[in-house]
């Protein structure tokens, strides 16, 4: 039997696919490995050895419901991602962008102590983020304050930023 479980939930952005693994330390008992949207670039697809288990995601689904209702700003979810060391470093940096704030790709690279030419690599790592919404890559915008790149589509990025009161806004 597989240790990977999944479910889908409805959201204001459409159907979300949640993929996780059992964890003795995670609130609700499931560590989240992926959260993706319908139509998302490079989104995972349900694999034959995954097991559908909506109950495993009750805690996470409730937090997402509260986030979309405007009642939750910080998620209490255990993540299990498998990026490169560089990707994990970038993803941890985007975890520090507060709710309702934005930053630019350049500022994020600077925060990581990277030279200006690394901005493209930072953008590529952000584009590979497997945990949309929860790991807030939507809060990274262009240096001129424009919406740029989002695996779930710019309409979803704009919705999420507006939901958080950060759009339209200047780079924070």
């Amino acid at each position: 039997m597989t240790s990977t479980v999944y479910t889908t939930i409805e959201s204001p952005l459409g159907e979300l696919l949640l993929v996780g693994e059992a964890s003795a330390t995670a609130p609700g008992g499931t560590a989240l490995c992926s959260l993706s949207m319908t139509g998302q670039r490079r989104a995972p697809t349900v694999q034959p050895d995954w097991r559908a288990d909506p109950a495993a995601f009750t805690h996470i689904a409730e937090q997402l419901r509260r986030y979309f209702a405007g009642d939750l700003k910080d998620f209490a979810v255990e993540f299990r991602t498998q990026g490169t060391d560089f990707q994990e470093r970038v993803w941890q940096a985007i975890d520090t962008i507060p709710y309702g704030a934005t930053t630019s790709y350049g500022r994020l690279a600077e925060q990581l102590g990277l030279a200006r030419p690394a901005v493209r690599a930072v953008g590529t790592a952000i584009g590979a983020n497997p945990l949309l919404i929860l790991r807030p890559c939507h809060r990274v915008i262009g240096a001129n304050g424009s919406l740029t790149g989002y695996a779930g589509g710019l309409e979803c990025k704009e919705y999420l930023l507006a939901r958080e009161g950060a759009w339209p806004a200047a780079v924070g």
Side-chain angles (χ1 to χ4, degrees):
M1 186 188 303
T2 182
S3 62
T4 302
V5 293
Y6 76 94
T7 196
T8 58
I9 62 170
E10 287 300 319
S11 81
L13 300 174
E15 187 176 78
L16 303 177
L17 172 64
L18 286 69
V19 180
E21 298 175 350
S23 170
T25 57
T30 301
L32 194 63
C33 301
S34 174
L35 187 158
S36 58
M37 300 175 189
T38 301
Q40 174 185 327
R41 289 176 295 166
R42 297 183 296 272
T45 56
V46 175
Q47 299 299 303
D49 62 332
W50 293 1
R51 182 174 47 85
D53 188 355
F57 296 93
T58 301
H59 177 76
I60 297 167
E62 175 60 16
Q63 288 189 60
L64 285 163
R65 186 197 64 72
R66 290 181 53 221
Y67 168 81
F68 285 118
D71 298 330
L72 181 76
K73 294 181 180 179
D74 297 307
F75 293 98
V77 175
E78 182 179 305
F79 302 147
R80 282 208 188 132
T81 53
Q82 297 180 349
T84 66
D85 289 344
F86 181 76
Q87 286 173 328
E88 293 288 345
R89 194 168 152 223
V90 170
W91 298 340
Q92 289 169 5
I94 61 177
D95 285 343
T96 68
I97 306 167
Y99 180 97
T102 59
T103 194
S104 70
Y105 294 89
R107 285 193 182 172
L108 195 59
E110 186 178 291
Q111 176 185 332
L112 290 164
L114 302 171
R116 180 78 181 137
V119 170
R120 184 177 297 266
V122 167
T124 300
I126 290 170
N129 172 20
L131 296 167
L132 297 190
I133 305 167
L134 295 181
R135 182 157 267 166
C137 58
H138 59 277
R139 296 178 188 156
V140 183
I141 62 177
N144 64 358
S146 64
L147 293 184
T148 58
Y150 188 63
L154 291 182
E155 309 81 28
C156 291
K157 184 172 189 165
E158 183 175 0
Y159 173 88
L160 292 167
L161 290 173
R163 168 95 225 68
E164 295 180 5
W167 184 257
V171 177

